[in-house]
Structure formats: C-alpha cells, structure tokens
Amino acid sequence: MTRSKAVRIDRNGGPEELKIVEVEVGEPGPGEIRIRHHAVGLNFIDIYQRSGLYGLPVPLQLGMEAAGVVEAVGEGVVHLKAGDRAAYASQPPGAYSELRVMPAKNVCKLPDAISFETGAAMMLKGLTAQYLLKKTLPAEGLQPGDFILFHAAAGGVGLIACQWAKALGLQLIGTAGTDAKCKLALEHGAAHAINYSTENFAERVKEITGGKGVKVVYDSVGKDTFEGSLNCLRPFGLLAIFGNGSGPVPPVNLGVLASKGSLYITRPTLFTHIATRESTQAMADDLFAAVTSGAVKIPIAQRYPLAEVQQAHRDLEARKTTGCTILTL
C-alpha cells in the first residue's frame, strides 16, 4: 500500500467541509489503473457534489478530471501501460489526490504536445464543449453562419466553446455577468457578448439575429436564465441545459414549448456521451486535434495548491474565476 494525500468530505456543506486526509492506495484490479497526478481540474459539478445537490454517499473524495502518469495497469487494460502520460474526465470522483486507483475506461493517453496542466484543465470542460457543439444539435442542424447562444461564455466550458464555435463557422452569442467577462468571451472568438446583469439578454439576442432568434441555446446557468433562454429560440429551436449554476430549473409546462414554436428541451450529461471506451476515445481525439492544431487554446486562469482547495471552491462558487481552474500537486 502507498500513502496519498486526498481531499475528502465527511458531510455535505460549504467549502469548509473539504479536508485533506491521507489515504492508502493499493494495486489496480481488472479494468483499472493507478495514476499519479501532476495537476487536477476543478469544475462546477464538484460544488454540486460537495453541497449535496448531486446526492452522492459520504464520505466522498471529490474531483472528476486530472492528468498525470500511469504507474500500473490491471488485467484487461490494453490501451494504457505504466509510464504513459494520461488525462481523464471520469466517474467515480476522486481526482483531488496525489495518487488513485480508478477505472481505465475514460482515461486517455495524453499527446506529448499537451502539458499536464492543460490536460487536467481541458478534459471535462473540453469534452463537454465537444458533445454540445458536435452532438447536441437542433432538429435543423447547425451550418456555418448560424447563430447560437452560450451562457456563462467566460467560464471554462464557455471559453473553449467560443473558440471551437468560431472554428466551425458559427456565430456564438455569449452571455456573462460583467463587462470584463464579456470582453474575454469576445477575445476568445464570440461574435457577440451580452452582459446579462445590465441588459435583457433575450431582447438583445432578437436584435442581433434580426428578430429570428437562435437555433440552439447552451445553458449551464439553469433557473435564472431558463425563461429568457426559451424566448431566444426560433421555431424548432433547442434548449440544452447542461448545468445548474443558479439552481435547478423548476417543473416545465410542456404547453409553453408549443406556444413558442415547437421547441425542444434536453438535459444532456457528459457521462452519457463517454459511456464506452470507444466513444470516450473518439471524442478525446477530436478535442486533442482541436487543441494541438491551435484552433482551441485552453485558458488556465487560476492555479491553487492542493492545500488551498477550500479557497478554490469559494472563488469558483462566487463566480470570481474565468476560464479553467486547476489544483497543482
């Protein structure tokens, strides 16, 4: 057994519940690997799990993405070997640690051209942007020149999506809560940016699109933007809610979708899309290609030592962060 520092909660609550503990890490079993982390990514899903919004049994070791070096592989693992550089977004949680044993299915070899810090910052957020822009599509599809609306455009997923959408020829309208964050979205490829704390974003979207609305809204904010998001859609448009930053969306009257033009709503998750080894690798290959080509740059705006994980959560929850945030080891 090897000892490892890890971040654990013993009960749901605020950032003060995050404790650094020592855990024992053994050998990988069938279908598993042991990986030593060099950097760990932070995501809003970590906050949902810590607070109890996404109910998981406690005690719980947090963290859904990281990058490092594979130390050992278990029986049946053929796509990785000891010594490989690797990165992942994966269940179950446990990435906030120096070392862990975990399922190998969602772990991918990290190209030499991509650093450990970039790998840790990009997997969950980059794969999310990938499935949104490539797989979560309106009934009429997306073509170059189409308008799309992306909330929280200066966040980790948002800044990746701004760049990727531009590379695909899409006109991304981004929303954010400050002028500085709107400027950041524009610098990363958004065609337009709306400060939703000072402007009615639904009215501005209609102005930008000549009254037509957008084909799709990608919304990780949830409750506070839900009604406005529906009002931004053209007939047959799609609202893809992939997060609950402001709280969960209340029950929906399906008649509203009819009255607003045969609209669609979906609640996708990354882990449905990476349910198999094959789908994980295909999506990761697409992401790696976008990053190594330079079309998408991964913006790491905050770095915290593992010992400062409580402050990292406070800043993320208070929306003081932009782009990607990582823990360093």
Side-chain angles (χ1 to χ4, degrees):
M1 288 283 185
T2 303
R3 306 289 289 179
S4 168
K5 288 181 181 177
V7 176
R8 188 180 71 196
I9 60 169
D10 294 316
R11 61 182 180 180
N12 295 120
E16 69 279 359
E17 298 300 334
L18 298 164
K19 309 294 189 213
I20 296 180
V21 299
E22 279 208 348
V23 297
E24 290 189 341
V25 180
E27 295 299 314
E32 294 181 332
I33 65 161
R34 186 174 71 234
I35 184 169
R36 184 168 295 277
H37 294 141
H38 285 232
V40 176
L42 269 73
N43 297 279
F44 246 92
I45 192 172
D46 306 344
I47 290 173
Y48 303 152
Q49 292 174 354
R50 188 206 73 219
S51 68
L53 178 63
Y54 289 179
L56 293 174
V58 292
L60 175 66
Q61 192 171 310
L62 291 179
M64 306 294 283
E65 69 175 344
V69 175
V70 177
E71 284 194 348
V73 302
E75 181 183 350
V77 177
V78 296
H79 68 287
L80 295 166
K81 65 182 185 304
D84 281 347
R85 304 171 76 253
Y88 65 84
S90 179
Q91 293 177 321
Y96 289 12
S97 61
E98 295 173 321
L99 186 69
R100 72 181 293 203
V101 168
M102 63 178 295
K105 179 182 69 174
N106 297 132
V107 184
C108 299
K109 287 182 68 172
L110 186 65
D112 290 340
I114 299 176
S115 72
F116 288 120
E117 287 196 352
T118 297
M122 68 186 260
M123 292 299 287
L124 192 144
K125 291 172 279 289
L127 292 175
T128 297
Q130 198 277 346
Y131 87 69
L132 291 173
L133 294 174
K134 298 292 189 75
K135 297 185 174 186
T136 311
L137 302 175
E140 297 176 331
L142 287 175
Q143 289 80 39
D146 282 343
F147 287 99
I148 66 174
L149 178 64
F150 208 103
H151 289 303
V157 178
L159 291 183
I160 294 171
C162 285
Q163 298 171 76
W164 213 332
K166 183 177 181 179
L168 294 171
L170 302 172
Q171 298 192 70
L172 184 146
I173 304 169
T175 71
T178 68
D179 288 342
K181 288 185 176 183
C182 286
K183 182 173 182 287
L184 195 59
L186 292 169
E187 290 171 352
H188 282 76
H192 303 271
I194 303 168
N195 183 340
Y196 55 57
S197 66
T198 59
E199 297 181 274
N200 182 311
F201 71 83
E203 291 179 359
R204 282 285 292 122
V205 166
K206 287 298 178 70
E207 290 175 11
I208 291 167
T209 61
K212 293 180 179 179
V214 297
K215 282 186 174 181
V216 60
V217 177
Y218 297 114
D219 189 347
S220 63
V221 177
K223 177 173 64 71
D224 290 354
T225 50
F226 174 70
E227 186 174 347
S229 292
L230 288 179
N231 292 334
C232 291
L233 290 168
R234 60 192 289 177
F236 309 110
L238 170 67
L239 171 55
I241 301 171
F242 66 101
N244 312 285
S246 65
V249 171
V252 179
N253 175 0
L254 294 181
V256 172
L257 305 183
S259 67
K260 291 183 181 296
S262 300
L263 302 182
Y264 296 78
I265 296 180
T266 185
R267 179 59 176 89
T269 72
L270 171 62
F271 293 103
T272 311
H273 287 84
I274 59 173
T276 68
R277 168 82 210 119
E278 293 75 19
S279 62
T280 301
Q281 193 63 59
M283 290 171 62
D285 287 345
D286 194 22
L287 174 61
F288 294 155
V291 172
T292 55
S293 72
V296 173
K297 293 179 173 59
I298 305 301
I300 302 173
Q302 297 81 212
R303 293 171 172 83
Y304 300 83
L306 187 67
E308 296 179 11
V309 64
Q310 290 187 2
Q311 189 60 48
H313 268 238
R314 290 188 189 98
D315 291 348
L316 188 62
E317 205 163 14
R319 302 189 184 283
K320 293 181 179 178
T321 64
T322 59
C324 301
T325 304
I326 61 169
L327 297 174
T328 57
L329 298 163

